[in-house]
Amino acid sequence: DAGVIQSPRHEVTEMGQEVTLRCKPISGHNSLFWYRQTMMRGLELLIYFNNNVPIDDSGMPEDRFSAKMPNASFSTLKIQPSEPRDSAVYFCASSTGVLYEQYFGPGTRLTVT
Amino acid sequence: AQRVTQPEKLLSVFKGAPVELKCNYSYSGSPELFWYVQYSRQRLQLLLRHISRESIKGFTADLNKGETSFHLKKPFAQEEDSAMYYCALSRRSNDYKLSFGAGTTVTVRA
């Protein structure tokens, strides 16, 4: 298994543009998590899904952020419009939910200029 | 609501010296505690969990419910231990949500 797959690995965009981050969880995992990592705030949970249903989106910073999970093998995190303060590394993780261990993807480094 | 506190953002030790990363939590229920590690240019990965009572790469962590702590310890630090370490808490429920601390960057000097 290739593990959790994220794309793109790096994204540089201009302020105001729409950004879409993608995640493919490990096959068979029924929980998916989106995190944001910054130097100032560390690792923050943005939203997580269980069986494709959003369970807790209280970490989503603003209405500019949205996430979807149309099926068990794909999820997107969209920022529209993007702002420089959104610059961070965004991680996706998946879990079976049974043993609580989360498997992380390599992350997408987003830079908004 | 649960909360995880890692008071040290940076920790520098010499090779062969003991290292201890502090983690305190607040949660009214019975938590599951974890340590995750992120080595340079690698994925964040699970290091150990309290329920397993295991030692991984020489690291141990004991859950102290009285002090609500889950400090990570290693008696003799190695250069390859240089990494970012996150303490995390999961509620014993069906929501599988992990709450992470702010992280501690460990640098082991030769």
Side-chain angles (χ1 to χ4, degrees), chain A residues 5-108:
Chain A
I5 299 173
Q6 290 187 248
S7 64
R9 294 294 305 278
H10 302 273
E11 177 79 38
V12 180
T13 190
E14 293 183 347
M15 182 175 63
Q17 297 297 307
E18 177 180 296
V19 175
T20 300
L21 311 181
R22 297 173 176 79
C23 175
K24 177 178 168 52
I26 293 173
S27 177
H29 284 192
N30 59 358
S31 296
L32 183 139
F33 307 80
W34 282 101
Y35 292 90
R36 178 172 66 177
Q37 183 185 46
T38 61
M39 288 293 292
M40 292 300 293
R41 301 171 70 92
L43 200 62
E44 303 173 279
L45 176 65
L46 300 177
I47 184 172
Y48 76 100
F49 297 82
N50 193 35
N51 293 323
N52 311 338
V53 176
I55 302 300
D56 185 346
D57 64 354
S58 59
M60 296 286 261
E62 300 170 35
D63 291 344
R64 298 184 296 106
F65 285 70
S66 62
K68 294 182 180 179
M69 191 165 186
N71 57 62
S73 59
F74 184 65
S75 177
T76 60
L77 177 67
K78 184 178 292 186
I79 308 173
Q80 166 64 22
S82 58
E83 296 182 3
R85 60 192 168 118
D86 301 330
S87 298
V89 180
Y90 291 81
F91 288 100
C92 176
S94 70
S95 170
T96 60
V98 176
L99 297 177
Y100 304 99
E101 178 175 358
Q102 294 184 15
Y103 293 81
F104 283 76
T108 294

Side-chain angles (χ1 to χ4, degrees), chain B residues 90-101:
Chain B
S90 174
R91 301 177 294 196
R92 286 191 181 182
S93 64
N94 292 327
D95 64 6
Y96 320 130
K97 178 177 177 177
L98 273 181
S99 297
F100 283 86

Side-chain angles (χ1 to χ4, degrees), chain B residues 71-92:
Chain B
H71 303 327
L72 183 68
K73 302 176 184 178
K74 185 169 182 176
F76 308 102
Q78 302 299 313
E79 289 181 75
E80 56 264 31
D81 296 328
S82 296
M84 181 79 154
Y85 292 81
Y86 288 95
C87 183
L89 177 153
S90 174
R91 301 177 294 196
R92 286 191 181 182

